[in-house]
Amino acid sequence: MNIFRFAGDMTHLCSIVVLLLKIEATKSCAGVSLRTQELYAVVFVSRYLDLFFTFISVYNTVMKVFFITSSFCIIWYMRHHRIVSQTYDREQDTFRVAFLVVPCIFLALLVNHEFSMVEVLWTFSIYLESVAILPQLILLQRTFNVDTLTSNYVFLLGAYRALYILNWLYRYFTEPGYSQWIVWSSGTLQTAIYCDFFYYYVVSWRKNERLSLPS
Amino acid sequence: VRGVAKHDEL
């Protein structure tokens, strides 16, 4: 494992921890899309089914279990926590996730490495992860809420994607025969969407700053 | 496509 991959995993992990701490500390999930969080849970569960079939390393297993449990933890807070659930913007968070899930299912059935249950589910999770941030992006555009989505959370998510691209470049040049077109193309799309997300974040932040300045 | 790729990333 190279330093880019490890740093990417750590920033991904930190982004989730930051989001959880934020929800726990402020007892609020205003501005957080439950639909995006649920898509991430679907992504992790469908991708990490191989926990039952293959062992790669202790690191790998621990991280997979962390991603699955933490995503369900965020969902639990947003749906069932007595105080936090009342702060959820359910009227604004209306993105139709079927528009993302259904095309990803078909694409995974058509374009995959091997037509088997586990492999198609893995491919589906790669495609779905690349677009799972969209409900969050739409919610941010609607509410212009930057109070709960801290600059840290957005920064860490973006950093995670950027570091994974560096990891792929590094592996491509150092590991003979290393190539994974499905992951590369999906990852590039995902990074482009995150750049858009970051752009709206900056716009929202600047707008909020103007509004909060004394006249 | 040639075989199943090794999914060693997260």
Side-chain angles (χ1 to χ4, degrees), chain A residues 184-203:
Chain A
W184 288 344
S185 45
S186 307
T188 306
L189 171 67
Q190 189 178 354
T191 312
I193 295 174
Y194 273 109
C195 288
D196 195 39
F197 183 77
F198 192 74
Y199 167 78
Y200 278 105
Y201 174 78
V202 171
V203 169

Side-chain angles (χ1 to χ4, degrees), chain A residues 19-180:
Chain A
L19 185 58
L20 263 172
L21 286 177
K22 186 83 187 161
I23 290 173
E24 171 57 35
T26 61
K27 292 285 185 285
S28 167
C29 65
V32 180
S33 167
L34 178 60
R35 287 163 194 256
T36 281
Q37 297 304 322
E38 286 177 337
L39 288 177
Y40 280 137
V42 171
V43 164
F44 292 139
V45 169
S46 51
R47 186 176 312 165
Y48 300 153
L49 275 179
D50 68 349
L51 273 172
F52 297 106
F53 310 106
T54 47
F55 176 79
I56 295 166
S57 65
V58 173
Y59 170 83
N60 223 277
T61 304
V62 170
M63 292 293 278
K64 285 171 175 173
V65 171
F66 171 81
F67 283 135
I68 292 174
T69 48
S70 59
S71 62
F72 277 99
C73 192
I74 293 171
I75 292 170
W76 178 84
Y77 264 107
M78 296 185 72
R79 292 181 84 106
H80 303 298
H81 188 281
R82 192 169 49 85
I83 302 161
V84 174
S85 62
Q86 289 171 15
T87 62
Y88 169 51
D89 300 314
R90 77 188 72 239
E91 287 78 25
Q92 303 285 345
D93 189 24
T94 53
F95 193 94
R96 300 276 293 276
V97 290
F99 287 135
L100 300 179
V101 175
V102 173
C104 286
I105 292 173
F106 279 106
L107 195 60
L109 287 168
L110 289 171
V111 184
N112 52 54
H113 290 301
E114 188 191 81
F115 198 76
S116 69
M117 187 72 178
V118 173
E119 191 62 20
V120 168
L121 277 171
W122 178 87
T123 313
F124 162 71
S125 83
I126 296 290
Y127 295 150
L128 190 62
E129 189 192 354
S130 67
V131 290
I133 196 71
L134 283 172
Q136 180 64 66
L137 185 61
I138 303 296
L139 181 64
L140 188 64
Q141 283 178 266
R142 283 184 181 168
T143 61
F144 276 98
N145 187 327
V146 292
D147 294 335
T148 53
L149 281 168
T150 62
S151 55
N152 291 341
Y153 176 58
V154 179
F155 174 79
L156 289 168
L157 276 177
Y160 148 61
R161 292 318 312 174
L163 286 162
Y164 252 76
I165 286 183
L166 292 178
N167 158 53
W168 296 332
L169 285 168
Y170 181 87
R171 291 189 73 172
Y172 180 77
F173 290 113
T174 55
E175 287 178 36
Y178 173 81
S179 130
Q180 40 173 1

